[in-house]
Each structure stands twice: as structure tokens, then as C-alpha cells.
């Protein structure tokens, strides 16, 4: 049997300074997620959500009354950079930021490397049972990127070349290491 996996990137708060880590969604982001709800197919099982607040809020806004919080789908652990902006990190330690963005095994922040994230996400996808049917999950942007790389069997060096906007929908079919990609979006682009 083929698994049909749909990953939805969490909504994003609008107009806030972007920081490494989790943030609550504002009303505008929640409205956009509610508007996207109708574009998703349903599942017979319980949908998944990453542990972050923004992923759980997005799932709720999508109308998923009950979700299984899946630790394997957690966002990239940012260690000392948690809560900081990219500009702050670049100003303080540009060499560390460059290393992190060019070497997928680098973790100068003391957290998780991009390579570790990619392996974790691929392992979760490959562990889905062949009879899982349709699987839905709300994930953070980094997890969606890692899933795209897994499906395409692309090297982790490609991580930063995958652009995943809020509420983007990523679909794939397959099972245990053999996946096919299908791209889509959850809402109209003019939203």
C-alpha cells in the first residue's frame, strides 16, 4: 500500500521580527490558516503536528480538533541562538553563521546540525507503516525543507536552496525510502 503524506508548513506571524525559535501566531496568521483549511484533504487517522506552538495553533486553525504531537517533527534545535535574530548572530559571529549555512554538519550554536535534522525527518518518514494511508502533518519550515531533500534524495548541502513559505503544502507518495514528490499550496497566492 502507498502512503500519501501531506506536510503543511506552519503559518507565520506577520510583521514581527524573525527570530530563531517558536512564537505564537497573531490573528492575521490564524485567519490565513483558517482560510487554507478547505484546500486540504482529510485523513482517516489522527493528523500530526510538530511540538511548536505555531504548528499546534496552525493545526487548530485548520480545523484539526485532535492532533498527535510528534517529537520527530520538531523544529531545528538552535542552541545558543534560540530567540535571537539572524542579524544579531551575523553581527556577533559571522564566521559561525557562515559555517552553519554552508556545512550541513556544523552546529556552532551548540544545537542540532542541518544534517542531523535531515536524517531525523527522513527516518520518521521511512518509519511510517505501509498501511498508514493518508497522513497529514503541520511542520516548521526547516522540517519541510528536510522532507523535500529526503524525497528527492538530495544532499543536505541543498537545504538552503528550498524556499518554503508559510502554509505551503508539500505532498509525497511512497513508503520506506521510496518517495515521489507532488507540489501544491494550501491557499490562493493573493491571500
Amino acid at each position: 500500500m502507498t502512503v500519501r503524506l501531506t506536510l503543511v508548513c506552519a503559518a507565520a506571524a506577520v510583521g514581527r521580527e524573525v527570530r530563531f525559535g517558536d512564537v505564537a501566531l497573531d490573528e492575521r496568521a490564524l485567519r490565513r490558516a483558517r482560510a487554507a483549511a478547505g484546500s486540504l484533504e482529510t485523513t482517516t487517522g489522527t493528523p500530526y503536528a510538530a511540538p511548536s506552538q505555531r504548528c499546534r495553533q496552525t493545526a487548530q486553525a485548520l480545523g484539526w480538533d485532535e492532533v498527535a504531537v510528534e517529537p520527530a517533527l520538531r523544529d531545528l534545535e538552535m542552541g545558543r541562538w534560540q530567540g535571537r535574530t539572524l542579524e544579531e548572530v551575523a553581527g556577533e559571529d559571522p564566521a559561525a553563521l557562515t559555517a552553519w549555512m554552508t556545512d550541513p554538519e556544523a552546529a556552532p550554536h551548540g544545537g542540532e546540525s542541518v544534517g542531523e535534522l535531515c536524517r531525523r525527518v527522513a527516518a520518521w518518514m521511512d518509519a511510517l507503516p505501509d498501511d498508514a494511508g493518508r497522513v497529514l502533518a503541520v511542520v516548521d519550515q526547516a522540517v519541510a525543507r528536510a522532507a523535500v531533500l529526503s524525497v528527492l534524495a538530495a544532499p543536505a548541502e541543498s537545504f538552503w536552496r528550498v524556499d518554503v513559505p508559510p502554509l505551503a503544502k508539500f505532498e509525497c507518495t511512497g513508503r520506506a525510502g521510496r518517495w515521489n514528490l507532488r507540489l501544491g499550496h494550501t491557499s490562493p497566492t493573493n491571500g
Side-chain angles (χ1 to χ4, degrees):
M1 184 173 202
T2 298
V3 177
R4 298 178 59 84
L5 174 62
T6 301
L7 299 178
V8 178
C9 189
V14 180
R16 287 193 186 162
E17 190 173 47
V18 178
R19 295 185 173 275
F20 293 119
D22 193 14
V23 295
L25 298 178
D26 59 17
E27 186 53 41
R28 186 172 175 194
L30 292 170
R31 259 194 323 274
R32 287 181 176 183
R34 285 190 288 272
S39 68
L40 292 171
E41 296 178 24
T42 59
T43 179
T44 55
T46 302
Y48 293 97
S52 70
Q53 181 178 0
R54 72 178 152 248
C55 286
R56 289 181 285 118
Q57 285 182 302
T58 299
Q60 185 177 23
L62 289 172
W64 302 356
D65 297 326
E66 196 175 314
V67 296
V69 175
E70 176 53 61
L73 297 177
R74 69 189 177 280
D75 199 6
L76 186 62
E77 172 53 50
M78 296 307 297
R80 292 184 303 278
W81 295 354
Q82 189 77 13
R84 304 187 64 215
T85 67
L86 188 65
E87 292 77 23
E88 290 170 346
V89 173
E92 224 173 81
D93 196 351
L97 183 61
T98 298
W100 179 63
M101 295 188 78
T102 57
D103 177 1
E105 296 307 324
H109 45 62
E112 183 178 32
S113 73
V114 166
E116 289 169 325
L117 169 72
C118 290
R119 289 186 290 277
R120 172 169 45 91
V121 171
W124 179 80
M125 291 172 64
D126 290 346
L128 289 170
D130 289 347
D131 63 352
R134 179 168 300 284
V135 178
L136 300 175
V138 174
V139 298
D140 291 292
Q141 183 182 45
V143 172
R145 283 180 173 155
V148 168
L149 297 185
S150 177
V151 169
L152 297 176
E157 290 81 5
S158 303
F159 183 81
W160 298 110
R161 294 176 181 247
V162 179
D163 195 14
V164 183
L167 297 172
K169 180 171 70 172
F170 163 65
E171 298 177 312
C172 59
T173 58
R175 63 183 169 274
R178 174 67 171 96
W179 294 96
N180 298 305
L181 177 64
R182 182 171 186 232
L183 298 178
H185 200 276
T186 60
S187 63
T189 56
N190 63 359

